[in-house]
Amino acid sequence: MQRLPISNDSLHLLPDPTVETLRRDQDGLEAQRTLAEECPVALVYNGTTAAVVMATPADLQDLALGFSLTEGTIENVADLKSLDIIPGPSGIELRMWLAGTSEQRFKRRQRRLVGPTGCGLCGIESLADAARPASHLTRSIIIRARQVESALLALSDAQTLNRATRATHAAGFFHPDQELVAIREDVGRHNALDKLAGALAANNVSATEGAIVLTSRVSIELVQKAAAISCPMLVAMSAPTALAVRAAQACGITLIAVARGSAFEVFSHPDAISG
């Protein structure tokens, strides 16, 4: 595992990812309900806030690392010198210090955005940035049709936070030989994928060797984030947008969506699916 220097002094002050609350049903009966927490999380590089996302306050080191990778701020773990997780009354700051060329890259691409749970592209600086092209990926994996169902079942079984709250998305990494390797959950689908990307990088797992499995629909930014970590396959429970399909086709990603049980639809590069 690649260790990112991290300050642990204030981690005990972080909010819990779930909150217990009283609610009444339609008959007026009170009972406990477990809710997913969400709070503002600022991603700060060398003292400059680059983004604020609404996120579940868990796996924040993975979020910091994964967001930095999928947004192109860094190329690998070594590009981050340190991370401080700083909780405060208004939210949480992920204070990162960049190394070498990453600092210069950040200054060139600096942007400010606010990303609520339903949006991943708010605040970008130009229309061209919204549909930024990704490098074409070289795919070396084949997945069997029955493994799509296995991946979805494994992801569902591993969603402990969603099982408690019924309010979170999940992103998992499925290896054709090792099955479900990692999973991360969050109230935001983009955050879940960023957390997964960070977890894979921290554990030296190459995203080129498997498929990302999502509980959400597939929009353009999810394809872009998958391409940024060189993952050649996306499997999603819900449908993609037309732009996401065009992006997946252009960069070489096999996009499988509307996947429920043994049924699924392939929208790009179907040669990666065997019988």
Side-chain angles (χ1 to χ4, degrees):
M1 178 183 293
Q2 300 187 52
R3 296 290 184 182
L4 177 64
I6 179 172
S7 169
N8 294 308
D9 296 344
S10 302
L11 296 187
H12 67 284
L13 300 176
L14 289 174
D16 290 330
T18 60
V19 175
E20 298 297 322
T21 188
L22 279 176
R23 54 81 173 165
R24 286 184 170 85
D25 65 13
Q26 67 278 3
D27 298 319
L29 298 177
E30 284 190 346
Q32 286 284 111
R33 163 72 72 175
T34 302
L35 301 180
E37 184 62 276
E38 65 175 332
C39 61
V41 178
L43 294 112
V44 183
Y45 298 98
N46 292 11
T48 299
T49 299
V52 178
V53 297
M54 299 301 298
T56 302
D59 301 310
L60 294 177
Q61 180 177 356
D62 292 335
L63 177 61
L65 177 56
F67 181 91
S68 301
L69 288 166
T70 65
E71 289 298 311
T73 303
I74 65 172
E75 295 180 346
N76 53 63
V77 179
D79 289 338
L80 281 183
K81 291 192 292 188
S82 65
L83 164 65
D84 295 327
I85 300 177
I86 311 296
S90 300
I92 302 167
E93 286 192 2
L94 304 181
R95 297 179 186 172
M96 291 167 276
W97 292 94
L98 298 170
T101 58
S102 291
E103 181 177 7
Q104 300 305 317
R105 187 185 306 115
F106 173 67
K107 288 179 178 178
R108 289 195 302 268
R109 297 183 66 247
Q110 185 174 332
R111 68 188 189 180
R112 297 177 183 276
L113 63 98
V114 177
T117 57
C119 179
L121 291 175
C122 298
I124 57 176
E125 293 178 342
S126 72
L127 291 175
D129 286 338
R132 64 184 188 274
S135 299
H136 195 278
L137 305 181
T138 300
R139 178 176 40 78
S140 60
I141 66 164
I142 296 291
I143 191 170
R144 294 184 293 277
R146 61 180 177 80
Q147 288 183 302
V148 174
E149 182 178 9
S150 297
L152 292 168
L153 287 172
L155 187 68
S156 178
D157 289 344
Q159 291 177 60
T160 56
L161 186 58
N162 187 61
R163 192 154 48 246
T165 65
R166 301 299 179 191
T168 57
H169 285 294
F173 185 71
F174 184 86
H175 191 285
D177 297 325
Q178 303 171 27
E179 300 194 344
L180 191 67
V181 175
I183 178 177
R184 290 294 183 269
E185 297 180 87
D186 197 278
V187 291
R189 55 201 172 92
H190 315 95
N191 302 332
L193 180 49
D194 281 336
K195 288 179 177 181
L196 177 68
L200 295 179
N203 289 280
N204 296 312
V205 177
S206 173
T208 64
E209 299 174 357
I212 290 173
V213 189
L214 305 170
T215 58
S216 64
R217 66 183 175 90
V218 183
S219 48
I220 176 66
E221 63 273 27
L222 297 183
V223 174
Q224 291 169 337
K225 286 178 180 291
I229 60 171
S230 301
C231 185
M233 186 176 294
L234 276 175
V235 179
M237 293 178 64
S238 296
T241 66
L243 183 56
V245 171
R246 291 195 294 272
Q249 183 66 41
C251 69
I253 287 179
T254 297
L255 177 55
I256 302 167
V258 200
R260 304 291 174 92
S262 60
F264 58 85
E265 300 174 19
V266 185
F267 291 86
S268 62
H269 300 283
D271 52 313
I273 311 297
S274 67

